């Protein structure tokens, strides 16, 4: 962080959530913000649309950093349901674990969860990059449409169920693959892409050869006339 | 939505603070449901004098004096009674079934909200924060407590529709979610001779658990068999005098977070319910996995 930048500090024990979010939404806002004592508050730093550096010291509730554009947001703690939901750009880093639906429907930016992410991580992701340091729960990347999901640990059941497009890289085991999700070959461009994602997330030591790529078999794309009688 | 909280104390030094801790957890969950609330406290000596069994009674239509006089006359032994909000807690050194039956005889329209050794169940319709104050919850003591803030979806907002459902000896259940096949399971339980107090889907789950435990299942076994039979979205917390178990449905639709320290185990629908617990900063914090049963027992703790 640029030490020349003034940091505005908020303490949620003395300020209200609305005051904090309002300060982050002021037109033309710039600089760095530090938010203390979030105590599980919901929708903290949601809807930010400015190149801010925001650091949140503690655990947050639902939909933290949702709809983020441009800001670099760090949560030093665990995050509740739907962290970085519908993020458009910028980055969100969670140093602890994330609950369900992390990065759901996000269109862009980078979400890093250093711990585990629970069920439905990256559900319906539409262009975001998600790197999870630990495991992801069941039905992660469900109906994923675009973007990349990297899992340094294990994945739960039905990974990539009904996946459209999205490249998934998993280092550990996968409990089961969902409909139309399949193992794919790691070509040189995939090693390159994965290495870049890991580097962006700060995991420089990982060997990309330890990862397996998964993606869409593209069987669900097509209406099969032979099945017409079944409908 | 509904909010669930539960607290199981491992360190006896904290027993005097149970009510204070549980009260803060419950009030923090008020936004998840503010039409009614209930708590169960295990081990408060004022509400459940040692050496007695306690029955929690709602809607007796009698004053505490009238009710205790009538029960004393029937039993031939002195009973103690505490009026806590709308709930009347009647304690006596007799068999719990005998006490329940006596109360039914002298107050035929009353609703038994809970019964057992060391167990006080308190329920009320209204705002959770007002109810906690009315109960004097903050000064309660004990080793374990559960609570519920309700946003009614499945049945009327009445004392009978409030959680916890405490339908087995010393047992309690609180629930966030809904069961989709409760009507079928209710009919099956009725065929087996089980009777119901409300139209609430949670009561079906609680009666099912009580029935399993009556047949000899442990809390953990009963919860496991419920998770096999009941469809729907749910987080459940089931307790008895010694144990406390948490389970979520197979797709983990409803939220739950667990925190553990050497001094206590706590669960809640959301993290913010836990923020005032002593030592929360260094607690092990995790989200329960779907369909997996998490259980803690006082016996194990004291044996360890």
């Amino acid at each position: 962080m640029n030490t020349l930048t003034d940091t505005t500090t908020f303490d949620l024990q003395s300020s209200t959530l609305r005051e904090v979010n309002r300060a982050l939404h002021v037109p033309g806002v710039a600089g760095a913000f530090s938010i203390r004592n979030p105590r599980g508050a919901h929708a903290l730093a949601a809807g930010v649309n400015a190149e801010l550096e925001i650091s949140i010291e503690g655990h947050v509730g639902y939909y933290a950093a949702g709809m983020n554009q441009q800001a670099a947001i760090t949560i030093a703690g665990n995050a509740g349901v739907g962290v970085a939901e519908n993020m458009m750009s910028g980055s969100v880093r969670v140093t602890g674990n994330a609950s369900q639906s992390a990065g759901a429907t996000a269109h862009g930016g980078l979400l890093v969860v250093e711990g585990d992410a629970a069920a439905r991580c990256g559900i319906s992701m539409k262009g975001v990059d998600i790197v999870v340091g630990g495991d992801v729960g069941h039905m992660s990347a469900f109906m994923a449409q675009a973007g990349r999901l990297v899992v340094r640990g294990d994945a739960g059941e039905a990974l990539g169920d009904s996946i459209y497009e999205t490249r998934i890289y998993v280092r550990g085991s996968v409990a089961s693959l969902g409909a139309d999700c399949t193992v794919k070959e790691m070509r040189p461009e995939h090693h390159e892409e994965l290495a870049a994602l890991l580097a962006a997330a700060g995991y420089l030591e990982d060997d990309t050869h330890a990862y397996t790529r998964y993606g869409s078999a593209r069987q669900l794309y097509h209406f099969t006339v032979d099945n017409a009688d079944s409908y | 939505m509904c909010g669930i909280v539960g607290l199981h104390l491992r360190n006896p030094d904290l027993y005097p603070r149970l009510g204070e801790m549980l009260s803060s957890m419950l009030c923090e969950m008020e936004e998840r449901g503010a039409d009614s609330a209930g708590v169960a406290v295990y081990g408060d000596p004022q509400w459940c004098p040692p050496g007695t069994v306690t029955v929690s009674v709602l809607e007796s239509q009698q004053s505490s004096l009238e009710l205790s006089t009538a029960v004393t006359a029937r039993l031939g032994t002195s009973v103690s009674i505490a009026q806590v909000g709308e709930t009347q807690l009647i304690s006596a050194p007799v068999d719990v079934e005998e006490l329940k039956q006596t109360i039914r005889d002298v107050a035929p329209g009353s609703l038994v909200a809970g019964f057992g050794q060391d167990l006080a169940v308190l329920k009320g319709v209204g705002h959770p924060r007002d109810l906690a104050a009315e109960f004097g919850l903050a000064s309660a003591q004990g080793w374990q407590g559960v609570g519920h803030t309700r946003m009614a979806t499945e049945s009327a907002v009445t004392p009978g529709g409030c959680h916890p459902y405490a339908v087995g000896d010393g047992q309690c259940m609180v629930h966030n979610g809904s069961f989709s096949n409760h009507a079928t399971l209710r009919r099956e339980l009725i065929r087996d001779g089980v009777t119901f107090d409300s139209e609430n889907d949670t009561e079906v789950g609680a009666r099912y658990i009580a029935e399993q435990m009556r047949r000899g299942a442990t809390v953990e076994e009963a919860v496991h068999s419920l998770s096999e039979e009941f469809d729907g979205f749910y987080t459940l917390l089931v307790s008895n005098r010694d144990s406390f178990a948490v389970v979520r449905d197979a797709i983990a639709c409803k939220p739950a977070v667990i925190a553990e320290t050497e001094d206590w185990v706590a669960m809640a629908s959301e993290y913010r319910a836990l923020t005032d617990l002593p030592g929360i900063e260094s607690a092990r914090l995790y989200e329960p996995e779907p369909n997996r049963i998490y259980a803690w027992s006082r016996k194990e703790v004291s044996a360890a």
Side-chain angles (χ1 to χ4, degrees), chain A residues 45-108:
Chain A
V48 176
N49 187 6
E51 270 187 60
L52 304 179
E53 296 225 12
I54 302 171
S55 95
I56 300 171
E57 309 294 327
H59 306 310
V60 295
Y62 293 5
Y63 308 114
M67 302 174 286
N68 181 46
Q69 298 189 66
Q70 307 187 63
I73 302 175
T74 303
I75 296 160
N78 293 352
V81 173
V83 65
E85 183 192 58
N86 213 67
M87 174 159 61
M88 302 303 285
S89 63
S91 67
V92 174
R93 175 178 284 269
V94 179
T95 66
N97 299 328
S99 182
Q100 307 174 37
S101 304
T105 74
H107 291 247

Side-chain angles (χ1 to χ4, degrees), chain A:
Chain A
M1 192 182 288
N2 182 355
T3 49
L4 295 173
T5 313
D6 282 343
T7 300
T8 310
T9 301
F10 281 105
D11 188 330
L12 276 167
Q13 263 180 326
S14 46
S15 304
T16 65
L17 176 65
R18 187 158 291 188
E19 282 165 1
V20 175
N21 278 342
R22 195 178 282 148
L24 301 173
H25 293 170
V26 169
V29 65
F33 286 80
S34 166
I35 302 165
R36 299 191 181 140
N37 289 309
R39 297 163 61 84
H42 295 328
L44 186 53
V48 176
N49 187 6
E51 270 187 60
L52 304 179
E53 296 225 12
I54 302 171
S55 95
I56 300 171
E57 309 294 327
H59 306 310
V60 295
Y62 293 5
Y63 308 114
M67 302 174 286
N68 181 46
Q69 298 189 66
Q70 307 187 63
I73 302 175
T74 303
I75 296 160
N78 293 352
V81 173
V83 65
E85 183 192 58
N86 213 67
M87 174 159 61
M88 302 303 285
S89 63
S91 67
V92 174
R93 175 178 284 269
V94 179
T95 66
N97 299 328
S99 182
Q100 307 174 37
S101 304
T105 74
H107 291 247
L110 172 68
L111 168 63
V112 180
V113 178
E114 293 183 10
D116 299 330
R120 297 175 277 275
C121 176
I123 179 171
S124 195
M125 53 194 281
K126 294 173 179 166
V128 67
D129 291 327
I130 304 176
V131 180
V132 178
D135 303 336
V136 294
H138 63 276
M139 297 204 93
S140 287
F142 174 48
M143 295 182 78
Q145 289 150 57
R148 287 85 55 96
L149 170 64
V150 178
V151 182
R152 298 178 75 235
D154 302 331
E157 285 176 16
L159 176 71
D161 190 59
S162 304
I163 186 171
Y164 292 85
E165 290 299 317
T166 285
R167 288 185 289 286
I168 306 174
Y169 299 96
V170 183
R171 182 162 66 168
S173 65
V174 172
S176 67
L177 290 173
D180 217 28
C181 188
T182 186
V183 174
K184 294 198 165 184
E185 180 199 359
M186 288 283 279
R187 294 194 299 269
E189 67 265 34
H190 301 118
H191 285 285
E192 225 168 86
E193 171 177 79
L194 176 59
L197 286 164
L198 287 165
Y203 298 112
L204 298 159
E205 70 282 17
D206 285 14
D207 176 6
T208 60
H209 291 90
Y211 283 79
T212 305
R213 181 168 71 103
Y214 302 87
S216 175
R218 298 175 181 138
Q219 295 300 308
L220 293 180
Y221 275 39
H222 308 292
F223 174 74
T224 308
V225 75
D226 295 344
N227 294 337
D229 289 346
S230 314
Y231 300 119

Side-chain angles (χ1 to χ4, degrees), chain B residues 171 208-223 225 240:
Chain B
Q171 294 163 27
Y208 179 89
I209 296 271
E211 188 60 14
Q212 297 287 317
M213 290 182 71
R214 198 183 58 75
R215 293 177 195 169
T218 61
V219 167
E220 211 170 337
E221 287 163 352
V223 171
S225 113
N240 70 5

Side-chain angles (χ1 to χ4, degrees), chain B residues 93-239:
Chain B
V94 294
D95 177 73
V96 73
E97 288 302 321
E98 188 186 356
L99 181 57
K100 257 168 69 184
Q101 193 52 53
T102 308
I103 292 163
R104 285 209 183 93
D105 292 346
V106 304
S110 63
L111 177 70
V112 170
F115 56 94
Q117 200 187 336
D118 304 309
L119 170 64
V121 176
L122 308 167
K123 299 184 183 191
V125 170
H127 200 279
R129 199 169 286 271
D130 299 338
L131 290 166
E134 197 180 321
F135 299 157
L137 182 60
S139 50
Q141 304 183 26
W143 57 82
Q144 183 171 273
V146 305
H148 187 267
T149 62
R150 182 166 186 233
M151 190 192 78
T153 53
E154 294 283 321
S155 67
V157 180
T158 60
C162 295
H163 302 218
Y165 278 92
V167 300
D169 193 353
Q171 294 163 27
C172 266
M173 180 166 114
V174 290
H175 167 213
N176 171 27
S178 58
F179 296 129
S180 50
N181 58 343
H182 68 97
T184 308
L185 291 161
R186 178 189 293 263
R187 280 194 293 275
E188 285 172 12
L189 285 165
I190 290 171
R191 268 203 297 277
D192 292 342
V194 174
T195 56
F196 284 82
D197 294 329
S198 74
E199 294 301 314
N200 192 302
D201 60 332
T202 307
E203 187 180 353
V204 182
R207 299 268 174 205
Y208 179 89
I209 296 271
E211 188 60 14
Q212 297 287 317
M213 290 182 71
R214 198 183 58 75
R215 293 177 195 169
T218 61
V219 167
E220 211 170 337
E221 287 163 352
V223 171
H224 176 74
S225 113
L226 178 142
S227 69
E228 303 268 298
E229 294 260 0
F230 282 67
D231 288 335
F233 303 137
Y234 52 85
T235 297
L236 296 178
L237 196 159
V238 176
S239 63

Side-chain angles (χ1 to χ4, degrees), chain A residues 13 38-42 58-62 78-81 97-100 118-120 138-139, chain B residues 1 28 31-32 248 250-256 269-272 275-276 280-281 285-287 290:
Chain A
Q13 263 180 326
R39 297 163 61 84
H42 295 328
H59 306 310
V60 295
Y62 293 5
N78 293 352
V81 173
N97 299 328
S99 182
Q100 307 174 37
R120 297 175 277 275
H138 63 276
M139 297 204 93
Chain B
M1 297 213 280
E28 196 56 53
E31 286 161 17
R32 294 190 65 87
R248 295 168 90 188
I251 61 167
C253 225
K254 289 292 173 182
S269 298
E270 295 176 41
Y271 170 76
R272 63 194 169 119
T275 49
D276 283 334
I280 184 69
E281 304 78 20
L285 204 63
Y286 56 98
E287 188 165 304

